Amino acid sequence: FLNGSSFIKGANLPWIDGDYYNDIAVNPHYPSWGCGYSSTDMNSYLADLHRMGITVVRVWLNTDDQGCTLDANGYVTGVTTQFWTNLDNIVALAGSNGISLYLTLNEGRSDWLTNRAMANAYKTNCLIPLIQRYKGSSKVFGIDLMNEIDAWVADPTMGNPWISSGATWAQAQAYITNFAAAVHGADSNRLVSCSQVYHGWSNLTYWKGLGLDFYDFHYYADTISLPPVASLNMDKPIYVGECGQANADTTWSDSLQSACELEALNSGSSGGYAGVSIWSYSLPDWQTSDYLQYAMLNTNGSWRPVCYTIQSW
């Protein structure tokens, strides 16, 4: 287990209030969009998740540089006051609602994998101040260094089969080593991982020996059956950071969604995993057809059956 806790029932809360690039702070690339972050809404969401028995909630921080200041070359030079104010509020609300936050730094950045100087600018001017700001806080569960990092590795066999150019495995590994060391240098006890999505658990060995405290893979299938952790021959705990019905299955089905999550909870617990995290509490307003089926809530905000499944498990 992680942090000495029991098996974790987790959930994802991305794109708060339907905003993708500007949910916590203004996006420097699109400043006219503003930021509509609402403390009242966030408190309501975290309280709702707590009622389900969720203890860890995954949120994204600096998607598309939101909350950051940039120089003319796109290098991060600092963090805005608005970002700190709103993130401080989210952290405080998490604590008051019995929630710990799994902070994912970004949606994915191929340029940070291929351009070490650009990545280091973010590390120095945003990441390290972030870790120092919440050093030792139990309201932060851990840091996900990049959402689905393997999605930026151009390898048709074991990486992302849909891109013709991108980062190498060595560049992705160097990024993890670099950022994991920075986090631990600022807070030696802060848990660090880096999520992956392609090929399920098959690629976990790529991340061995890079300084991670646990491994995180995402898994989508209409029938979820996780292999026992012992069979994967890894050296650290494993957490399923996202799970749900098959990506290609666009069916809105309460029974399928509940069955998937129940299978994930059961096989995850019996298989020795640190926990599983459902995708996703709510989805943006613009996702009116694609991927809407993953939402844990009905369009009127009421619970779908999966919420009761999680609550009673």
Side-chain angles (χ1 to χ4, degrees):
F1 296 126
L2 295 166
N3 280 350
S5 63
S6 60
F7 183 84
I8 296 167
K9 290 196 295 186
N12 286 268
L13 180 57
W15 316 321
I16 302 164
D17 285 334
D19 292 329
Y20 183 66
Y21 290 132
N22 58 328
D23 54 348
I24 296 178
V26 169
N27 185 311
H29 303 289
Y30 308 99
S32 64
W33 291 359
C35 175
Y37 173 75
S38 166
S39 177
T40 300
D41 288 352
M42 177 57 70
N43 186 57
S44 173
Y45 304 152
L46 294 175
D48 200 32
L49 287 162
H50 175 73
R51 283 191 289 272
M52 299 176 206
I54 297 294
T55 57
V56 170
V57 173
R58 181 168 173 257
V59 298
W60 296 349
L61 298 184
N62 302 117
T63 296
D64 196 42
D65 297 317
Q66 70 163 311
C68 296
T69 56
L70 309 176
D71 67 14
N73 296 314
Y75 286 42
V76 174
T77 58
V79 180
T80 66
T81 299
Q82 180 189 49
F83 176 78
W84 288 134
T85 298
N86 288 341
L87 185 56
D88 283 347
N89 180 251
I90 294 171
V91 171
L93 292 175
S96 63
N97 285 290
I99 296 290
S100 187
L101 299 171
Y102 186 17
L103 302 177
T104 298
L105 300 184
N106 55 73
E107 164 65 7
R109 297 289 300 254
S110 61
D111 51 353
W112 288 6
L113 301 184
T114 57
N115 186 335
R116 189 178 179 92
M118 179 176 277
N120 281 339
Y122 174 83
K123 179 185 74 173
T124 300
N125 296 313
C126 182
L127 176 59
I128 291 175
L130 173 81
I131 302 305
Q132 293 171 334
R133 192 177 189 91
Y134 304 113
K135 183 177 181 178
S137 173
S138 61
K139 300 170 188 175
V140 176
F141 163 74
I143 303 295
D144 177 5
L145 298 178
M146 182 177 290
N147 178 60
E148 300 179 347
I149 190 170
D150 56 328
W152 305 105
V153 175
D155 176 350
T157 304
M158 297 304 289
N160 185 345
W162 308 108
I163 57 176
S164 58
S165 63
T168 65
W169 286 110
Q171 288 172 323
Q173 291 166 329
Y175 168 89
I176 291 176
T177 300
N178 181 18
F179 274 43
V183 172
H184 289 143
D187 185 351
S188 60
N189 293 318
R190 179 60 65 211
L191 295 176
V192 181
S193 189
C194 192
S195 58
Q196 68 163 54
V197 64
Y198 286 102
H199 310 289
W201 50 84
S202 302
N203 285 350
L204 289 178
T205 54
Y206 280 107
W207 318 125
K208 265 188 171 181
L210 305 182
L212 299 179
D213 298 300
F214 66 99
Y215 303 106
D216 176 347
F217 70 84
H218 301 167
Y219 187 56
Y220 292 89
D222 282 352
T223 300
I224 293 180
S225 181
L226 301 171
V229 165
S231 69
L232 301 180
N233 298 313
M234 299 301 292
D235 57 342
K236 301 288 178 63
I238 301 176
Y239 184 66
V240 183
E242 293 181 17
C243 63
Q245 68 194 70
N247 279 325
D249 191 339
T250 60
T251 305
W252 177 281
S253 170
D254 290 336
S255 60
L256 175 60
Q257 185 185 45
S258 291
C260 283
E261 185 60 16
L262 182 59
E263 290 164 352
L265 288 167
N266 286 335
S267 62
S269 178
S270 63
Y273 289 80
V276 299
S277 180
I278 187 173
W279 183 272
S280 160
Y281 178 69
S282 62
L283 291 173
D285 296 338
W286 48 262
Q287 286 196 301
T288 55
S289 56
D290 58 330
Y291 304 118
L292 185 66
Q293 69 275 11
Y294 293 112
M296 297 163 65
L297 303 181
N298 291 300
T299 54
N300 64 2
S302 63
W303 285 13
R304 292 179 67 187
V306 70
C307 299
Y308 297 99
T309 298
I310 295 169
Q311 184 185 55
S312 62
W313 188 86

